[in-house]
Amino acid sequence: MRVTGLETLTQGWGRLSRRRKVQVVLSLLGLGLCVVAAFTYIVNGDGLSIVDPANPGRSYLAVFVLVALDAVVPIFPGETTLNAASTAAAQGTLELAPVIVMGFLGAVVGDSALFWIARRYSRRIQPQIDRARAHRQIRDALAVMDSSAPLLIVGGRYVPGMRFVVNATMGISGMPYRRFLPWSVLSGALWSVYTCVLAYNIGQALAGFPLASLVISGIVTTVVIGVVFVRLRRKRAAAVTPAESAGL
């Protein structure tokens, strides 16, 4: 008797445990959301037009999906979408609280997804990490934050490209997920609140100029990151110099 592909799938599905079936269904739903988000991004070209004040539910979902995807595939405009949604909230067309929550959830889900992908496919992910580490900005940031896993997870989110390096490295390193998750939650919460509140306040101050609000929000974040890293580098250099002198 010939067994068709459909019958094989049906039999395989029947042998799965209930927990495994739930995992498969959730994975398929997540994959479907990713496909929709990717298609929408390709059509619209950025994170600005994806935020639709006329459809708040779709806008909140877009924030969650694109922030999560941005963690795994950094070409997606996760932070731009979060800024755009926060600016829309400043104009009264969206609510700020749901934007913050969806940005937070997207950040944590994206971090966890990359963590497990890196652990499962370490040989394929490692070359991408090595290429990212070759960039001077990431290399300097890693040197400043040293090797403290909590500091890397929390602080690395604010440096372009470093979030991918840190979360993938934590997955490959064998770090227990139960230790990674709390720091990812803290990092995602701080990042989402900071990004949204900053864009919201600038959006209110520059009412009627949403694009200018987005640009200024990005500039402010870049300046703050630069100042923090310069001060940390100087502090570290000052601490190293006396130690080297003592060793002479």
Side-chain angles (χ1 to χ4, degrees), residues 70-93:
D70 186 36
V72 182
V73 186
I75 65 170
F76 287 97
E79 188 165 354
T80 300
T81 305
L82 192 62
N83 278 320
S86 301
T87 302
Q91 297 173 340
T93 53

Side-chain angles (χ1 to χ4, degrees), residues 99-141:
V99 174
I100 294 176
V101 171
M102 297 307 278
F104 159 68
L105 292 176
V108 175
V109 169
D111 288 355
S112 297
L114 180 58
F115 179 93
W116 288 111
I117 290 172
R119 179 154 297 182
R120 178 65 178 83
Y121 302 102
S122 57
R123 292 184 179 180
R124 297 182 180 180
I125 296 294
Q126 187 62 56
Q128 299 181 43
I129 297 176
D130 294 338
R131 285 195 295 270
R133 283 175 176 268
H135 291 285
R136 181 180 177 182
Q137 184 181 26
I138 294 178
R139 188 169 60 249
D140 291 347

Side-chain angles (χ1 to χ4, degrees), residues 39-62:
F39 177 77
T40 304
Y41 171 60
I42 292 172
V43 172
N44 291 285
D46 56 39
L48 302 177
S49 50
I50 293 176
V51 175
D52 181 11
N55 191 342
R58 177 179 177 273
S59 298
Y60 299 139
L61 181 61

